[in-house]
Amino acid sequence: ARKGHIAFYNGAETVYLDDVTTEAELRAIFEATAPTSEGDVYLFFGEVERSKRPELTEIVAGGLPWLAPVRVGDGWALYRYQVPPEG
């Protein structure tokens, strides 16, 4: 997301998403980021992201079992990556 200051003020790291067009590509980014992160990995998706990344809107809007909504507002949402259980 373009909200790098949110991570900064929370002592977290900002990771910018490549141009992804599939769920597998998006998940690969989270899987690569999560093991190196000091804490949880989040995705902020707001109105600007929806307008500039419509392909992501379609992927995320369908609901993903490994991306849990933390907070949803009018035109925005914050999701937390959940490592899938092994097995």
Side-chain angles (χ1 to χ4, degrees):
R2 61 183 178 79
K3 305 263 184 203
H5 67 286
I6 293 173
F8 175 80
Y9 286 115
N10 286 289
E13 176 186 359
T14 298
V15 176
Y16 294 94
L17 294 176
D18 295 327
D19 289 333
V20 297
T21 57
T22 68
E23 177 185 339
E25 292 172 337
L26 179 62
R27 187 172 180 169
I29 291 171
F30 280 96
E31 289 175 345
T33 303
T36 62
S37 176
E38 297 272 332
D40 292 335
V41 179
Y42 293 89
L43 172 67
F44 176 84
F45 210 66
E47 291 180 11
V48 172
E49 290 78 18
R50 290 180 197 287
S51 68
K52 294 191 178 289
R53 307 284 292 270
E55 66 284 354
L56 273 180
T57 301
E58 291 180 24
I59 295 169
V60 174
L64 303 170
W66 46 270
L67 204 56
V70 174
R71 194 121 185 166
V72 178
D74 187 26
W76 63 271
L78 178 66
Y79 301 93
R80 181 177 56 242
Y81 172 69
Q82 297 180 323
V83 178
E86 292 185 30

